[in-house]
Amino acid sequence: MKKRFIYILAALGLVLSACGNDAAGETDAHEDEPSHEGHDHAAPAEREVKEGQTVLPNGDLQEVTASAEELPSFLDDKPEDMQLVYQVAGSATEILEWMPCYCGCGDSAGHKSNMNCFISEVREDGSVVWDDHGTRCLVCLEIAVESVKMAQDGKSLKEIRETIDETYNEGYAEPTPTPMPA
């Protein structure tokens, strides 16, 4: 399992470099805000909502699966690299719950951390409420991948958090209200 996780992280490094400024094949909705390239909080105008999926008032789509090992069907038509980011997010909630997101989702979607860009909740029975917000936002994807890579490199949660805050504190939206790890 650890080898697979390392393989996924290596692949994600390539993913982010290949993504450039276009996380989901969409253009920036905030053209007057160059720091938000690859960022689009607007939900697709037309989307098929499948059984078991819910559209939130902010336009995010949520779907429940039995566990983090089962990815949501809203990823079926997404690039494999994005599916890998979601897979990593599902296995790294203990890291991402301490990392803020700087895309503006604290205000637009009520997110509390970067984890919420991918996962709204992990229920007591192990089922996962996935959120499609991360499919439309390069900032969300970058923070998740960078955080998990730093954890694999042996950085503490506090060191990772300080790096994320330092990297994104200027030129990005206000961070989510994420508590600082001890």
Side-chain angles (χ1 to χ4, degrees), residues 25-135:
E26 299 173 9
T27 58
D28 183 15
H30 306 281
E31 291 177 10
D32 59 329
E33 301 175 23
S35 63
H36 292 115
E37 292 177 2
H39 172 260
D40 186 1
H41 281 176
E46 293 182 27
R47 96 164 51 185
E48 177 185 345
V49 178
K50 299 176 184 175
E51 185 177 335
Q53 294 179 335
T54 305
V55 179
L56 301 179
N58 68 351
D60 285 356
L61 184 71
Q62 291 189 341
E63 181 177 338
V64 179
T65 64
S67 70
E69 286 76 37
E70 180 185 349
L71 293 176
S73 64
F74 64 70
L75 291 174
D76 289 351
D77 65 343
K78 302 296 182 218
E80 184 179 354
D81 51 2
M82 187 174 292
Q83 292 177 28
L84 286 173
V85 176
Y86 267 80
Q87 183 178 3
V88 168
S91 65
T93 56
E94 71 285 351
I95 298 167
L96 300 183
E97 69 183 338
W98 295 104
M99 301 306 133
C101 189
Y102 282 82
C103 78
C105 61
D107 290 331
S108 70
H111 290 176
K112 303 295 184 208
S113 71
N114 182 249
M115 181 186 86
N116 297 138
C117 301
F118 308 96
I119 295 175
S120 176
E121 171 187 14
V122 178
R123 296 178 175 164
E124 284 187 30
D125 66 359
S127 62
V128 175
V129 181
W130 297 92
D131 194 302
D132 80 332
H133 181 88
T135 66

Side-chain angles (χ1 to χ4, degrees), residues 12-20:
L12 290 177
L14 295 173
V15 166
L16 287 181
S17 63
C19 278

